[in-house]
Amino acid sequence: MDTHETPAPAAHETAPSAAGLPDLEPAARRIAELLGPVDDGALDGPTPCPDYAVRELLGHLTGLATAFRDAARKDLGPSTATSPDAALPVLDDDWREVLPRRLEEVAAAWRSPDAWTGMTRAGGIELPGEVAGAVALNELVIHGWDLARSTGQPYAAGEAELRSCEVLLAPDEDHPDRGGIFAPPVPVPADAPLLDRVIALSGRRPDWRPSVVRGEEARHTTDA
């Protein structure tokens, strides 16, 4: 199954931070590198997230980077109290300047060992710091893939990042529906690439393409 993968990232992209904690910087940096080719004409294009066009996906990325930055800092306020499902994200006109800065900030905030301890809040949910950090990494990896696929760009993630996402996304006996947060996993071969397996666990088709969505829309229009 084609996943638009590129060669494996270099060692510095997969290594943990100096404190032995997961490092969000590679995932954040990959998203920042994807932004350059996204012109205004791409903002209304489809994404693997059914409710989001590219503009809403970018707005969501800005919001989650802000929320998880503040969650790491234990700066609990409006940014950490709002559910991401409360309303469709709005993409501000200055997103090209703001989003890269927020990505840098969220990665820097989670480099602090204190971010991974105690309790914090994100999306209106109280949770341990170590869980919030894992969720933040998962959000950056999965939505980075969403953005790459939506805009026709290659995407690769380090094995350590993907293993963290795999653990977070995998259903378990106590929570087989994973709290209803994610769509049901998509079946993929057991020997599929790790990236494919993680994307499938998030409820996405690893072979998703915007051209397929547009083709289906055109077919429905013709049938009508």
Side-chain angles (χ1 to χ4, degrees):
M1 189 177 291
D2 176 17
T3 61
H4 226 159
E5 287 185 279
T6 57
H12 75 275
E13 294 185 309
T14 60
S17 64
L21 298 169
D23 187 2
L24 276 64
E25 193 275 334
R29 185 179 68 248
R30 282 195 303 272
I31 295 173
E33 292 172 349
L34 292 169
L35 300 179
V38 180
D39 59 29
D40 290 346
L43 295 179
D44 292 321
T47 77
C49 308
D51 296 333
Y52 287 176
V54 171
R55 70 172 65 251
E56 282 83 32
L57 176 58
L58 292 167
H60 179 61
L61 281 164
T62 304
L64 76 85
T66 303
F68 281 102
R69 175 202 66 188
D70 294 345
R73 296 172 176 174
K74 309 298 194 293
D75 182 12
L76 308 184
S79 68
T80 64
T82 304
S83 167
D85 300 326
L88 277 178
V90 175
L91 185 65
D92 293 330
D93 292 339
D94 59 354
W95 67 271
R96 293 185 185 279
E97 293 75 39
V98 172
L99 180 50
R101 185 164 66 248
R102 292 289 181 270
L103 291 167
E104 290 180 0
E105 290 169 351
V106 70
W110 285 99
R111 288 194 195 103
S112 169
D114 290 342
W116 299 84
T117 63
M119 295 295 292
T120 188
R121 184 176 66 205
I125 300 173
E126 303 284 336
L127 67 174
E130 61 182 335
V131 175
V135 172
L137 176 58
N138 180 74
E139 289 283 297
L140 293 174
V141 170
I142 299 299
H143 287 312
W145 181 89
D146 288 336
L147 182 60
R149 273 303 164 92
S150 302
T151 56
Q153 300 184 67
Y155 188 81
E159 182 174 355
E161 298 168 275
L162 293 173
R163 294 294 180 192
S164 174
C165 295
E166 185 179 37
V167 170
L168 183 74
L169 293 169
D172 60 42
E173 293 182 359
D174 294 331
H175 303 93
D177 66 349
R178 301 172 295 178
I181 298 173
F182 304 102
V186 173
V188 293
D191 61 351
L194 179 57
L195 177 59
D196 280 16
R197 302 201 303 272
V198 168
I199 293 301
L201 282 172
S202 76
R204 293 156 169 79
R205 287 178 55 101
D207 61 351
W208 186 95
R209 291 286 189 280
S211 58
V212 174
V213 176
R214 294 188 182 103
E216 290 176 351
E217 291 175 346
R219 190 160 53 251
H220 291 322
T221 301
T222 302
D223 292 343

